[in-house]
Amino acid sequence: MGGIPCEAYYYRIGSSIRRNRQEKGLTQEALAEAAGLSLKMVQKLEGGQKGFRMETIIRIAETLEVSLGSLVDMQGEDEKTVSCREMFYELIRDKTIEEIRYAVGIVDSVFKLHKQYLE
């Protein structure tokens, strides 16, 4: 897989599901209900967790009215985006959800301060 950890592909698929869901204006709850899945399953998928069945991805693709290939296609992203996602994944892969939320909050604060003071 070109040196990319297998787990990074799960994260990419999850990101693709999230992006497509948001483009359709759906909440996680709405996607779960429409696809006949639990909210927890949608959250796990979007979070890039392993352990889902192909049947589940097919149901999501059908619900989102996108091809299965578009959900798992990694070719459409530019090199910078792919590299950033992979670096981010490597930073968070062994962290708890609480640690990740804390870190995201810090980064968000930094960006807000940057915008406030440097623009």
Side-chain angles (χ1 to χ4, degrees):
M1 288 195 194
I4 300 170
C6 183
E7 293 84 6
Y9 289 101
Y10 289 99
Y11 179 77
R12 287 183 184 179
I13 292 168
S15 294
S16 179
I17 291 169
R18 181 181 313 104
R19 183 178 58 254
N20 279 280
R21 174 183 59 76
Q22 290 172 337
E23 286 173 2
K24 300 282 185 185
L26 296 172
T27 62
Q28 287 181 328
E29 293 86 356
L31 175 59
E33 184 176 331
L37 302 169
S38 70
L39 172 59
K40 189 172 186 168
M41 175 57 72
V42 171
Q43 291 169 334
K44 283 182 175 184
L45 287 165
E46 287 191 5
Q49 292 185 16
K50 296 192 297 185
F52 55 81
R53 301 171 79 182
M54 187 59 133
E55 167 188 326
T56 303
I57 301 300
I58 292 169
R59 288 168 74 179
I60 288 177
E62 288 173 347
T63 302
L64 293 172
E65 298 177 332
V66 298
S67 71
L68 180 60
S70 72
L71 284 184
V72 299
D73 180 29
M74 306 307 163
Q75 305 304 315
E77 296 181 323
D78 62 54
E79 189 175 322
K80 180 180 176 185
T81 301
V82 170
S83 177
C84 288
R85 286 178 195 237
E86 289 167 4
M87 284 188 296
F88 179 76
Y89 176 77
E90 285 300 314
L91 288 171
I92 67 163
R93 69 184 174 126
D94 62 342
K95 305 299 185 267
T96 66
I97 192 69
E98 292 81 16
E99 290 171 319
I100 294 168
R101 285 187 181 134
Y102 178 72
V104 167
I106 290 171
V107 171
D108 187 48
S109 296
V110 169
F111 285 135
K112 286 177 183 173
L113 286 172
H114 172 75
K115 190 178 219 177
Q116 180 180 352
Y117 292 106
L118 298 178
E119 290 184 356

